[in-house]
Amino acid sequence: MGLNIDIVTIFPEYFGDETSGPLRTSLIGKAAARGDIGFQIHDLRRWALDVHHTVDDVPFGGGPGMVMKPDVWGAALDEVLAADGAVDSADAAAGRSADSGRLVVPTPSGVPFTQAVATRYAAQSRLIFACGRYEGIDGRVVDHMRQRMPVDEISVGDYVLAGGEAAVLVMIEAVGRLLPGVLGNASSADDDSFGGAGGSMTGLLEGPVYTRPRTWRGHEVPEILLSGNHAAIARWRRDMALRRTAAHRPDLLTALELDARDRQVLAAGFPVSGKDMAH
Ligand code: SAM
């Protein structure tokens, strides 16, 4: 097995079933069918032992909303981790740390999820995602788990979702397409926006792309792309990527190594569509 993914959630139905849903669709679904990626979805309420399967309680200190209970999360994570033999509660009590797997806790107050994080996760053998709801999970759960294994609190963007499930799907899609064999030869992640080291898009946003027909509703494909001159096309693509990055994400430019031509392109202004850019 390449990458094993456990997801703990109060909405297991969010992730579909063995045959349909987001984890069985497109590239991720094919990777799962091949066995390159494995999913185990766990219903948190299994570990809520009262008659109502309660997973939340009022916040200490007052305030609106509810907080997810540490005892329920603790029991769930103990069992999920033990299923891989990584570490169980007895091990934890004895101070033994897990040496396999990484716990990922989605939260808007986490560190940003980036292509670099996705690349690191694609090299893991096991990821365990803990989906919060309500006002989030009692803070002691992360503190405790950090004593036992690597834990990341991760944000997928500067906005607040109702729960961690959509954030987990975002991360799985980004990580899954980086697994060996998932994209295939026809496409390389290094040539996409935020591409890896050595790719044509390292640190850049990709510019616009085109396919047939050559003319559509009066809009022409940029002439250079029809030239067959691969070096000139590569340069044009870099120019477009530089301009788009400058226009949409100027913060990314500071980390780039720019040559004289790059600087010239950026100094000339910021058209971001192929039509705006004569060659
Ligand atoms: N009280 C929390 C705060 O202000 O930071 C927000 C809780 S949010 C309503 C409920 C859950 O949605 C979180 O526990 C987390 O799992 C998920 N979530 C919301 N926004 C997210 C984001 N930007 N990135 C990752 N997870 C998010």
Side-chain angles (χ1 to χ4, degrees), residues 106-109 131-137 154-157 159-164 167:
T107 166
S109 58
C131 299
R133 281 270 157 179
Y134 316 116
E135 293 305 318
I137 302 171
I154 298 281
S155 168
V156 295
Y159 42 79
V160 178
L161 301 167

